[in-house]
């Protein structure tokens, strides 16, 4: 049985003092859940969030990283740096990074491999545009993104990998994929992983849905056969709402 994972992606929101009070407030609300609760926070909030989440069941993640360990890459942060302060997860290849910051399938793959080499758990984002969905080619696109992101990743590392299916047309738009559509896309991703790594690894893999997840739709999404939780943007900025999502299954 796969564990449910609820990850907040704060994107470029929340100052350190806001991060601290958010974690102080939500920690008692989610303390009894068996679900994995993760907050992926801006770099400047990481250290404060790690300190505040000590002795709670909240895990902390970053939202991006560079694939090199160090060097002349002004403005970048490496996986080794994240690991050195105790970060556990890192979002890789979010559609906003693919769209605005030139992440490609190739750099996503480099980041995934570097994350794993630094004992970080990558949350790899894949998802199609509205145009692709209207052409009915979504499964082709997301399975290709999945295969390329995992190129040269050893089977033994897959237990530390998470995938998030985030249809771009559902991000920040209020349009959620139906539970049925999201589940079927996630099944396609799982099928692709099974082709590469075999059925047992694929059926153990955690695959999340992201795109306008809210307290009033999370239960229906998370109770489907293949959706193992959510990557939550806007609704992860509100303590009560995010706590409800964490507790909805
Ligand atoms: P929203 O939940 O705001 O649609 O964002 C989804 C997302 O991009 C999470 O990574």
């Amino acid at each position: 049985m796969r564990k449910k994972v609820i990850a907040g992606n704060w994107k470029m929101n929340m100052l350190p003092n806001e991060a601290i009070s958010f974690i102080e407030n939500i920690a008692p609300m989610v303390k009894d859940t068996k679900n994995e609760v993760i907050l992926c926070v801006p770099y400047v909030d990481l250290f404060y969030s790690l300190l505040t989440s000590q002795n709670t069941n909240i895990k902390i993640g970053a939202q991006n990283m560079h694939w090199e360990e160090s060097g002349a890459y002004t403005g970048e942060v490496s996986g080794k740096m994240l690991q050195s302060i105790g970060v556990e997860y890192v979002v890789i290849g979010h559609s906003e990074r693919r769209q605005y910051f030139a992440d490609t399938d190739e750099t996503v793959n480099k980041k995934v491999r570097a994350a794993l080499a630094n004992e970080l758990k990558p949350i790899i984002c894949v998802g199609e545009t509205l145009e692709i969905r209207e052409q009915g080619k979504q499964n082709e696109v997301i399975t290709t993104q999945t295969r390329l992101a995992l190129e040269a990743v050893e089977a033994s590392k897959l237990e530390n990998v998470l995938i998030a299916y985030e249809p771009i047309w559902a991000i920040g738009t209020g349009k959620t994929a139906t539970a049925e559509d999201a589940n079927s896309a996630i099944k396609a991703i799982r099928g692709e992983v099974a082709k590469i790594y075999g059925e047992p690894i694929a059926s153990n893999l955690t695959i999340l849905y992201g795109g306008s997840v809210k307290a009033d739709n999370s239960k229906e999404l998370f109770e489907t056969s293949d959706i193992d939780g959510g990557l939550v943007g806007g609704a992860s900025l509100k303590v009560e709402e995010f706590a409800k999502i964490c507790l909805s299954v």
Side-chain angles (χ1 to χ4, degrees), residues 73-125:
Y73 301 101
T74 303
E76 290 293 317
V77 171
S78 72
K80 189 176 182 178
M81 290 170 171
L82 297 176
Q83 197 264 346
S84 74
I85 62 166
V87 171
E88 196 171 330
Y89 291 89
V90 57
V91 176
I92 292 186
H94 191 280
S95 61
E96 287 150 17
R97 295 216 58 91
R98 293 182 193 249
Q99 190 179 353
Y100 307 130
F101 303 102
D103 267 5
T104 63
D105 288 326
E106 192 189 344
T107 60
V108 167
N109 174 247
K110 285 185 182 178
K111 292 178 184 190
V112 168
R113 285 188 284 147
L116 292 166
N118 284 290
E119 285 161 25
L120 296 163
K121 296 174 185 162
I123 304 174
I124 306 168
C125 299

Side-chain angles (χ1 to χ4, degrees), residues 55-198:
N55 305 316
T56 75
N57 55 348
I58 296 168
K59 306 286 170 56
I60 301 300
Q63 300 172 10
N64 179 41
M65 56 170 271
H66 196 276
W67 57 86
E68 295 290 346
E69 293 207 334
S70 61
Y73 301 101
T74 303
E76 290 293 317
V77 171
S78 72
K80 189 176 182 178
M81 290 170 171
L82 297 176
Q83 197 264 346
S84 74
I85 62 166
V87 171
E88 196 171 330
Y89 291 89
V90 57
V91 176
I92 292 186
H94 191 280
S95 61
E96 287 150 17
R97 295 216 58 91
R98 293 182 193 249
Q99 190 179 353
Y100 307 130
F101 303 102
D103 267 5
T104 63
D105 288 326
E106 192 189 344
T107 60
V108 167
N109 174 247
K110 285 185 182 178
K111 292 178 184 190
V112 168
R113 285 188 284 147
L116 292 166
N118 284 290
E119 285 161 25
L120 296 163
K121 296 174 185 162
I123 304 174
I124 306 168
C125 299
V126 301
E128 81 283 0
T129 58
L130 185 58
E131 197 185 351
I132 294 289
R133 162 77 47 175
E134 282 168 349
Q135 293 165 6
K137 292 190 180 149
Q138 66 275 9
N139 287 359
E140 207 177 297
V141 166
I142 61 182
T143 55
T144 302
Q145 287 174 335
T146 302
R147 191 175 64 250
L148 296 176
L150 293 174
E151 213 163 76
V153 173
E154 294 160 34
S156 63
K157 302 273 191 192
L158 263 278
E159 62 184 12
N160 290 324
V161 169
L162 296 87
I163 295 180
Y165 167 60
E166 298 207 310
I168 294 168
W169 49 269
I171 296 178
T173 57
K175 281 188 205 157
T176 318
T178 63
E180 200 181 325
D181 283 349
N183 194 47
S184 120
I186 287 178
K187 271 191 181 168
I189 294 169
R190 205 178 291 289
E192 186 67 19
V193 173
K195 270 196 227 159
I196 310 168
Y197 294 100

Side-chain angles (χ1 to χ4, degrees), residues 7-11 91 94-96 125 164 166 170-175 209-214 231-236:
N9 174 9
W10 282 354
K11 307 191 179 182
V91 176
H94 191 280
S95 61
E96 287 150 17
C125 299
E166 298 207 310
I171 296 178
T173 57
K175 281 188 205 157
Y209 166 77
S212 298
V213 174
K214 304 271 185 303
L231 184 57
V232 186
S236 74

